[in-house]
Amino acid sequence: MSLQAWIAPARTALVIVDMQVDFAAPQGLCAQWGMDLTAVPDALAAADRLAGAAREAGAAVIFVGLFTTPETDSEVWHERGRRRGYDPQESPALCRADAPGSDFFGPQPQADELVFRKTRYSPFWDTDIAARLRAMGVDTLVLVGLTTECCIDSTARDAFNHDFHVFIPVDACAAYEAELHEASLRTLDLNTAILTDTDSVVAAWGSAS
């Protein structure tokens, strides 16, 4: 089968993960903490291009974001921080719900598109995304977003374990360190996902439409 058949719009959803202010914007917390956002703008642009191609072809576009509250914060996460030598209570929390840091940055959901609000790395942990996708007839995901080694990796693994086919356009996701990005992609390619690129996906959906 060809890529066009594998990611046919009727069976496929583009899933955009964690492209939010705190992870991707110059004013976000990750930038304030000194993370290197050099690779992020190109990934945002590629994801936005994919969203346009998906909409044109009739593939579902789904947004996933981290939305935290004090009630959903993990004590294990906090304790891990303390054991690594810092007090999480003294640091601002990422992507607080209803705060500017949790706003989507780059690609934006349209009014009729699903948005899943997660509190852990993967939306398959604490949302009904798997059931909603199956109800839509989706068995294949084109997965993009931030960051490659964390929430993309976790989401791809969980999607695969829920029996979804996973494709990752490598230029539409990013990490704050190039080495992490490349190592994570290699591991994903070995175990859970098929790697591709934005041009190939756009071409496949363009042919389908």
Side-chain angles (χ1 to χ4, degrees):
M1 289 177 66
S2 65
L3 180 64
Q4 181 180 344
W6 285 340
I7 62 168
R11 67 185 299 187
T12 302
L14 173 68
V15 180
I16 300 173
V17 177
D18 289 5
M19 287 187 156
Q20 294 167 275
V21 168
D22 272 348
F23 296 121
Q27 70 272 25
L29 282 179
C30 285
Q32 293 178 35
W33 292 338
M35 303 296 189
D36 183 357
L37 272 61
T38 301
V40 171
D42 284 348
L44 294 172
D48 200 38
R49 184 178 168 214
L50 286 164
R55 290 163 181 149
E56 183 70 21
V61 179
I62 291 173
F63 284 76
V64 170
L66 179 68
F67 293 87
T68 67
T69 67
E71 292 73 28
T72 62
D73 286 350
S74 167
E75 180 52 36
V76 170
W77 172 265
H78 288 326
E79 181 60 22
R80 176 178 178 272
R82 285 188 285 267
R83 292 177 183 185
R84 290 171 64 90
Y86 65 90
D87 185 353
Q89 303 296 342
E90 295 179 356
S91 177
L94 280 165
C95 294
R96 280 302 195 214
D98 302 319
S102 65
D103 291 343
F104 288 108
F105 188 77
Q108 298 293 312
Q110 296 187 348
D112 60 342
E113 292 172 348
L114 291 174
V115 175
F116 289 91
R117 299 164 64 98
K118 65 184 175 73
T119 60
R120 297 295 188 271
Y121 294 146
S122 166
F124 287 91
W125 184 84
D126 59 354
T127 81
D128 62 348
I129 189 170
R132 297 289 291 275
L133 289 168
R134 289 201 174 90
M136 295 163 61
V138 168
D139 70 356
T140 300
L141 307 183
V142 174
L143 184 62
V144 304
L146 306 173
T147 58
T148 316
E149 85 289 353
C150 188
C151 294
I152 294 298
D153 180 275
S154 294
T155 302
R157 290 171 186 274
D158 281 354
F160 185 81
N161 287 332
H162 280 80
D163 292 328
F164 290 95
H165 307 287
V166 180
F167 291 80
I168 299 178
V170 299
D171 54 337
C173 54
Y176 305 128
E177 299 177 34
E179 294 83 359
L180 285 177
H181 175 73
E182 295 299 331
S184 297
L185 290 174
R186 183 178 179 189
T187 302
L188 287 164
D189 188 39
L190 284 170
N191 297 314
T192 58
I194 294 175
L195 303 186
T196 182
D197 57 65
T198 296
D199 285 346
S200 298
V201 174
V202 168
W205 282 340
S207 298
S209 62

